[in-house]
Structures are given as C-alpha cells and as structure tokens.
Amino acid sequence: MAQNRVVVVGCGGISRAWFPPLIAENVEVCAAVDLNTEVAKTRLAAHPELANTEVSDNFKKMLKRHKPQFVLDLTVPEAHCEVTCTALRAGCHVIGEKPMAASMTQARKMVKTAEETGNMYMVSQSRRWDRFNDACRLTVNSGELGELNTINCDFYLAPRFGGFRDEMDSPLILDMSIHHFDLIRFMSGKDPVSVYAHEYNPKGSWYKGDVAASCIFEMSDGVMFNYRGSWCADGCWTSWHGDWRYIGDKGTMIYNVDKMPFGQVRSAPYGSETDKPHHQPLKDLPVTDSPMPFSGFHGGLREMLAFLNEGKRPQTECHDNIKSLAMVFAAIESSKKGRRVEVKI
C-alpha cells in the first residue's frame, strides 16, 4: 500500500496533538504551512521523523508542489472555509478541526464544494473517539433504558487559555459546546429540532464574550436536551466531556468524571393500581463496554485513512457534522433574539 501523504495547515497549539498520530500511522507530512514559519519550524523540531517536512507560508504553492492526498486543516475557525474549499478544489480530501466554520453560510459553502468536487471533507470531533462516550452510545442503543425522553449535560471548567478564545463573542458555545452538541447526537442518535438559549458572561469572568450558557433543545422523537455550561467556573469541575444524565421510560443512566457510565432500570413491571409502591424495584443498568482501540485525534485520523485506503465513509463527514454546527448557531441566534428558534441545516 502506498504511503498516505498530507499537507498540514496551521501549526498552533493543537498541532502538538496531531503530529504524533500522523507519525504513528506512517503518514508522510509533505509540508507544514503557517503564516508564522518560525512557529511551524518549532513544532516540527520536536519530531525528528519530520526532518524532511517542508515549511512554508504559501498554502497554494504547497498543494501544487506536493499534490497530497489530503489536507489537515488546523487553522482558526474563521479560516476553515477558505482553506477547506481551496484544498477540495485542488483535488484533495480534507480533515479539519472543529468547529466546521465560523458561520452556517460558510459551512453550507464547504458542503457544496465537497459535493461539486466529489472530494471528502470530514470534521475532527475528537470526543467521539473515546471509550466511555462510546459505551454511553452502545448502552443507549441497547434499549435497556427504554425510550429516551430527557437528556441533561452539565459542563463547568475554568481554563485560562489566553489568545483568540478570550476575545470571541461566544467562546463557550462556538469553541467548546460544539463537542457536547455533537456528543448528544452521537450518543443518542437524535437530531436537533429547536432551541431556547441564554448566553451570559458571569461576574469575575476573564473572557470578553459570553462564556456561559443555558440551552433547552428539542431533539427528534420528542427528546428534550438540557445543557448548562460555563468556562469560568472555578471549583468542583466536571469532565471535559461533560456530566450526563440519560432518562428513558425504563430507567436512568449517569455518566460523569470520565468513568464508565452506570445507572438503574426497573427490575419488575408495575403492580396493579391498588398495590403500586411509591418507587418501583430497581436493578443495576447493564452497561455495554467499548473496545475503542484508537482515541481522540488518532481515532479521527484513522477514519480518514480508512476512507483513503478502503473507501469507508467517515462518521463525521460534512453532511453529518453540519447538523452539530447548526445547534451552535441556533443557540447563539436564540440568545440574541431572546426566544425559541428552529435549528436550520
């Protein structure tokens, strides 16, 4: 099998997480492109295996010179549309960092370009490739909880990033909640219908924009998804994946602090109208474990390589991922308008 070849665009902090799996999968990194070539050189210097990788600030030149199979887009969200569309039109497939785009208009243009060129564009939603998240999905799909009716997610952390996130208008919803909105679709199999959201910037915040939010989503099949989050909440932190509660008509599953989910389901049918107890007998929820051999960014890369080498379609290809992005911009719109809005793809 021929070695897969890639051009990496954007060598900021996130690239540290991508170069190791590229090396592990024996992908030839033809070029590393960044507006600041010194940053790119510094990133590559940490990996002797990439000593022959060309460094440039000219993306189109690198595409023309190296003709890679795919492009890895690690740029800021505002640059995703231009980078992705340029690569697709140059005959390359693309795997890009989340969020897909800085607007729904840009995202739709990217999907259309993928369709017109016939090339693959997938988004790296790294939290799909996590053993415990996948265990949640498998357990929900097992039917042990019965029909889902309510899903809650809490997310509270206080990272001091510095840089562009501190200046964003909606840093939590756009840069972080996209993970949780994608996870609700991944773990439940439900898609968004509408949302009522309120964004705000709490007292003591070191962010310029609204870094906290409460959202009520209506999902398909009448499932309600309640989301509460903040990126400036010191103390008693949740998991980066969020702390979850799944409620069905047969029981409840809890998932938090990066541990295997657990829960309880009814162990016996309801009694007659005259002998029903206040609380029904319960038993532990049977949880389905997940093998998940490759996690995080490595898992996403493996899906792109499976497409390149076997033609297997990635689960986060653009036609699917735009649904998660639509939840982000619908929530922002709802907060601005102060009312419920439909989630439009």
Side-chain angles (χ1 to χ4, degrees):
M1 182 183 297
Q3 186 177 19
N4 298 116
R5 304 169 72 250
V6 66
V7 165
V8 177
V9 189
C11 296
I14 196 67
S15 66
R16 296 190 189 99
W18 278 100
F19 284 127
L22 287 169
I23 294 168
E25 293 297 331
N26 195 34
V27 175
E28 180 185 352
V29 182
C30 306
V33 180
D34 198 282
L35 295 176
N36 187 335
T37 55
E38 292 305 312
V39 168
K41 290 176 182 177
T42 299
R43 296 284 182 259
L44 294 176
H47 305 284
E49 302 92 339
L50 303 179
N52 294 324
T53 298
E54 184 173 4
V55 173
S56 176
D57 59 4
N58 192 321
F59 177 42
K60 291 182 179 179
K61 182 179 178 180
M62 292 300 98
L63 290 180
K64 186 175 181 179
R65 175 177 295 175
H66 295 287
K67 296 179 172 58
Q69 286 174 295
F70 72 108
V71 165
L72 175 57
D73 179 10
L74 306 182
T75 60
V76 295
E78 290 76 13
H80 287 177
C81 183
E82 181 179 355
V83 168
T84 294
C85 291
T86 297
L88 292 170
R89 292 185 184 120
C92 302
H93 305 293
V94 179
I95 177 171
E97 263 298 333
K98 59 78 198 166
M100 177 190 288
S103 70
M104 286 301 293
T105 299
Q106 290 181 355
R108 295 181 186 113
K109 178 181 178 181
M110 295 156 83
V111 172
K112 183 179 180 182
T113 303
E115 292 172 345
E116 290 174 345
T117 61
N119 294 318
M120 171 57 65
Y121 169 44
M122 69 168 285
V123 179
S124 170
Q125 292 285 172
S126 59
R127 295 177 193 278
R128 286 200 181 206
W129 294 282
D130 177 89
R131 174 190 167 202
F132 298 141
N133 290 341
D134 199 43
C136 286
R137 178 185 67 85
L138 293 171
T139 302
V140 169
N141 290 341
S142 73
E144 292 286 347
L145 295 175
E147 292 291 326
L148 291 176
N149 55 59
T150 305
I151 304 170
N152 298 336
C153 177
D154 283 343
F155 174 76
Y156 293 101
L157 284 170
R160 269 75 169 176
F161 292 112
F164 72 93
R165 292 179 181 88
D166 285 6
E167 301 300 318
M168 293 173 66
D169 291 335
S170 300
L172 176 75
I173 292 290
L174 184 57
D175 197 61
M176 186 65 218
S177 300
I178 178 63
H179 280 302
H180 305 125
F181 295 170
D182 187 68
L183 280 177
I184 181 66
R185 297 184 52 247
F186 171 67
M187 295 194 287
S188 72
K190 308 302 180 184
D191 282 330
V193 176
S194 67
V195 60
Y196 182 86
H198 177 65
E199 292 182 283
Y200 58 101
N201 200 14
K203 292 181 179 179
S205 170
W206 49 95
Y207 293 84
K208 178 181 178 181
D210 290 333
V211 74
S214 295
C215 308
I216 303 172
F217 282 95
E218 180 187 353
M219 307 296 287
S220 55
D221 299 320
V223 173
M224 300 306 298
F225 172 43
N226 302 296
Y227 179 77
R228 303 183 301 179
S230 173
W231 240 353
C232 66
D234 276 313
C236 302
W237 294 332
T238 66
S239 161
W240 278 93
H241 296 298
D243 289 355
W244 296 80
R245 177 181 290 260
Y246 278 77
I247 305 173
D249 60 9
K250 294 182 180 178
T252 294
M253 178 178 72
I254 299 291
Y255 169 46
N256 54 27
V257 289
D258 299 328
K259 295 179 180 178
M260 189 64 72
F262 63 93
Q264 294 178 315
V265 291
R266 288 201 307 269
S267 61
Y270 282 112
S272 68
E273 290 298 321
T274 57
D275 65 5
K276 280 185 180 179
H278 287 296
H279 300 286
Q280 296 300 307
L282 300 172
K283 64 179 181 180
D284 289 341
L285 169 70
V287 174
T288 306
D289 201 352
S290 167
M292 192 61 71
F294 298 94
S295 61
F297 303 101
H298 200 160
L301 175 62
R302 293 274 299 189
E303 291 223 4
M304 173 55 86
L305 297 180
F307 169 76
L308 294 174
N309 301 325
E310 305 166 24
K312 184 178 179 182
R313 198 166 188 82
Q315 60 178 300
T316 56
E317 59 87 24
C318 59
H319 293 83
D320 177 85
N321 191 253
I322 196 172
K323 298 177 184 178
S324 299
L325 188 72
M327 295 176 71
V328 166
F329 286 108
I332 293 172
E333 179 187 357
S334 172
S335 181
K336 289 180 178 178
K337 294 182 176 179
R339 62 174 176 81
R340 172 187 176 275
V341 301
E342 294 183 3
V343 179
K344 298 178 181 178
I345 309 303

